[in-house]
Amino acid sequence: MNRYTFLKNLGFRGAALMAVLTSCVHEEDTYVPALTLNAQGQPVTGPNGTTVTSSTSTSVSTPTSTTASSTDVLGVKNPLLKINLATATALKNVGGYLVSSGIVVAKVSATSYAAVTQTCSHEPKRQVIYSGSVFYCTAHGAQFNIDGTGRNSLAGRGITAYKVITDGTTLVVYS
């Protein structure tokens, strides 16, 4: 039995249930699909009709990305994420994105990137991706701007957006 089922069985409903569920996110509550499918087994489409497939939802391998360290990278002490752009093929084209350490990094234009948390604020699931020109939760359709603000009623609280800096070779995500 998972935490959601347990709390529902205790009688939590609606806003009270969501408040308890979002107060603390546990790793066992998260789910990151390599291929996002609907109940009929068909690929999920994003807000602009783009299909969410394994080729657009790319995980980052250890050589491409390293997690926070105490070193100074591009003038940032203790970065959350450091990405080598030469090996991060998912970030070569505008609209491409990758997921690493619970952070979604997207190439939003020819020269700029955006980074947000992978955990949706509507439900504590790690299912936020970048699709079209918005961050999108594949679980229920919440949409977020590149600054993390909500775009629809499911995304009212927004999500955490991180600062990004690059020198063209290395991309650093920090708070």
Side-chain angles (χ1 to χ4, degrees), residues 5-152:
T5 305
F6 175 76
L7 291 170
K8 269 191 98 165
N9 289 342
L10 286 176
F12 284 95
R13 301 279 185 262
L17 177 61
M18 291 311 298
V20 172
L21 284 174
T22 59
S23 65
C24 176
V25 177
H26 295 283
E27 190 61 33
E28 66 269 12
D29 292 335
T30 61
Y31 164 65
V32 182
L35 177 62
T36 306
L37 303 176
N38 63 17
Q40 292 76 34
Q42 300 299 315
V44 172
T45 56
N48 295 331
T50 57
T51 302
V52 180
T53 64
S54 58
S55 63
T56 59
S57 180
T58 306
S59 295
V60 180
S61 60
T62 304
T64 305
S65 168
T66 56
T67 56
S69 67
S70 61
T71 60
D72 187 344
V73 182
L74 297 179
V76 177
K77 292 195 184 299
N78 301 319
L80 299 172
L81 197 61
K82 182 179 89 171
I83 299 169
N84 180 345
L85 293 174
T87 58
T89 57
L91 296 177
K92 296 242 184 258
N93 298 315
V94 174
Y97 74 95
L98 56 80
V99 178
S100 181
S101 302
I103 298 172
V104 183
V105 180
K107 186 166 186 175
V108 297
S109 75
T111 58
S112 63
Y113 300 86
V116 299
T117 181
Q118 186 185 12
T119 304
C120 183
S121 60
H122 179 72
E123 292 179 1
K125 301 288 184 188
R126 283 189 172 187
Q127 290 188 260
V128 173
I129 63 164
Y130 187 73
S131 180
S133 61
V134 299
F135 288 100
Y136 175 76
C137 180
T138 61
H140 47 73
Q143 296 179 27
F144 307 92
N145 294 313
I146 61 172
D147 65 357
T149 57
R151 292 177 55 103
N152 61 10

